[in-house]
């Protein structure tokens, strides 16, 4: 069964450093998302991406964040200069068209720890 | 804006007990409603969904009914197993062009043998 994969599973970085979180969505999906969950809090929407551009972003997704689909398979989230409060679990999701158009399929997440 | 309120956990039950996890929502329009489950060390998996009022979603013995009059989507299972131990998330999307999800805070369920 196709699945969304994410790497790394855990990333530890120093405050101020850049990090890139990687995702491989399901191959025939067209819509891509990043969410995050700070420990003990809700899963929050960050950004959606379609047709090689951002379709919607939340207020959390400021200038420090960017997303890219550098090739036909990867979808990345970059944080330019990490802050302590960026420590969270980051989930990638993808969505197709057709019968499951309404369903998002999630990866296992990347736990980001900013020291 | 959209919001989801979920029963606070953690919830601890004995095997074969009845489970209810409450979920209520606030949304514009006609949202689709979802329950996701996260097993230890894994990602979010869709457990069940309902896309219109009075729909019942069901999977693996779990059920939830979309109640528009009470804006609720409570998760139930008649007899839980140890393997059901996980975090359960209620979520909605309001459609539009993005179908972004709004989640509740999650409820940790622990089932003891």
């Amino acid at each position: 069964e196709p699945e969304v994969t994410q790497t790394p599973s855990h990333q530890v970085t120093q405050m101020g450093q850049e990090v890139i979180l990687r995702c491989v969505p399901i191959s025939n999906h067209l819509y891509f998302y990043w969410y995050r969950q700070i420990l003990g809090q809700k899963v929050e929407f960050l950004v959606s991406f379609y047709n090689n551009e951002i379709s919607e972003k939340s207020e959390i997704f400021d200038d420090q964040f960017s997303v890219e689909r550098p090739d036909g398979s990867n979808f990345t989230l970059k944080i330019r200069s990490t802050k302590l409060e960026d420590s969270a679990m980051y989930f990638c999701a993808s969505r197709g068209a057709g019968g499951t158009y309404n369903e998002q399929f999630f990866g296992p997440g990347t736990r980001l720890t900013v020291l | 804006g959209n919001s989801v309120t979920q029963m606070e956990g953690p919830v601890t039950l004995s095997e074969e007990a009845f489970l209810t996890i409450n979920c209520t929502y606030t949304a514009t329009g006609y949202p689709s409603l979802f329950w996701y489950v996260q097993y230890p060390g894994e990602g979010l998996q869709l457990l069940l969904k309902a896309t219109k009022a009075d729909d019942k979603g069901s999977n693996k013995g779990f059920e939830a009914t979309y109640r528009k009059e009470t804006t609720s989507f409570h998760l139930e299972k008649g007899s839980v197993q140890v393997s059901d131990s996980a975090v359960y998330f209620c979520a909605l999307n309001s459609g539009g062009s993005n179908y972004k999800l709004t989640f509740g805070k999650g409820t940790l369920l622990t089932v003891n043998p």
Side-chain angles (χ1 to χ4, degrees):
Chain A
E1 187 174 327
E3 58 181 17
V4 177
T5 59
Q6 289 185 244
T7 54
S9 56
H10 191 187
Q11 173 95 44
V12 181
T13 190
Q14 297 289 324
M15 192 169 54
Q17 294 297 303
E18 175 184 286
V19 294
I20 298 176
L21 310 183
R22 301 181 192 279
C23 169
V24 179
I26 293 173
S27 63
N28 62 347
H29 282 186
L30 302 174
Y31 304 87
F32 313 111
Y33 305 82
W34 283 101
Y35 293 82
R36 79 171 185 191
Q37 184 183 29
I38 294 172
L39 188 63
Q41 299 187 24
K42 295 185 180 189
V43 178
E44 302 171 290
F45 167 78
L46 290 178
V47 66
S48 58
F49 191 87
Y50 170 70
N51 200 25
N52 278 323
E53 59 183 27
I54 290 173
S55 47
E56 187 174 349
K57 59 184 181 180
S58 71
E59 63 274 10
I60 301 168
F61 194 89
D62 62 22
D63 292 345
Q64 292 301 309
F65 291 88
S66 62
V67 288
E68 194 177 31
R69 189 155 161 81
D71 52 43
S73 59
N74 290 284
F75 179 51
T76 62
L77 173 70
K78 184 194 291 188
I79 310 175
R80 255 180 278 283
S81 177
T82 49
K83 308 190 218 21
L84 295 176
E85 54 265 37
D86 294 328
S87 295
M89 180 73 90
Y90 288 80
F91 294 104
C92 172
S94 68
R95 179 171 68 87
T100 59
Y101 73 94
N102 203 1
E103 295 180 24
Q104 292 182 30
F105 294 80
F106 282 79
T110 294
R111 180 166 296 286
L112 176 65
T113 303
V114 182
L115 303 176
Chain B
N2 297 338
S3 67
V4 175
T5 302
Q6 239 182 282
M7 174 176 160
E8 292 281 334
V11 174
T12 303
L13 296 173
S14 298
E15 208 163 23
E16 300 184 5
F18 184 85
L19 168 72
T20 300
I21 301 178
N22 289 338
C23 172
T24 57
Y25 67 88
T26 303
T28 54
Y30 302 95
S32 294
L33 303 174
F34 305 85
W35 278 99
Y36 279 83
V37 59
Q38 185 178 30
Y39 298 104
E42 298 185 18
L44 297 167
Q45 299 176 27
L46 179 64
L47 180 60
L48 53 84
K49 69 174 184 180
T51 57
K52 60 184 190 299
D54 300 324
D55 266 3
K56 178 187 281 189
S58 62
N59 186 23
K60 299 182 182 179
F62 290 89
E63 293 182 341
T65 301
Y66 189 143
R67 300 281 188 208
K68 193 162 167 46
E69 65 276 12
T70 54
T71 61
S72 65
F73 193 55
H74 304 321
L75 183 68
E76 296 183 335
K77 186 174 185 183
S79 176
V80 294
Q81 305 300 312
V82 172
S83 57
D84 294 327
S85 298
V87 181
Y88 292 82
F89 294 90
C90 186
L92 66 83
N93 74 42
S94 288
S97 59
N98 289 315
Y99 292 90
K100 71 177 182 186
L101 289 166
T102 300
F103 283 89
K105 204 169 174 180
T107 302
L108 173 62
L109 170 67
T110 302
V111 180
N112 294 319

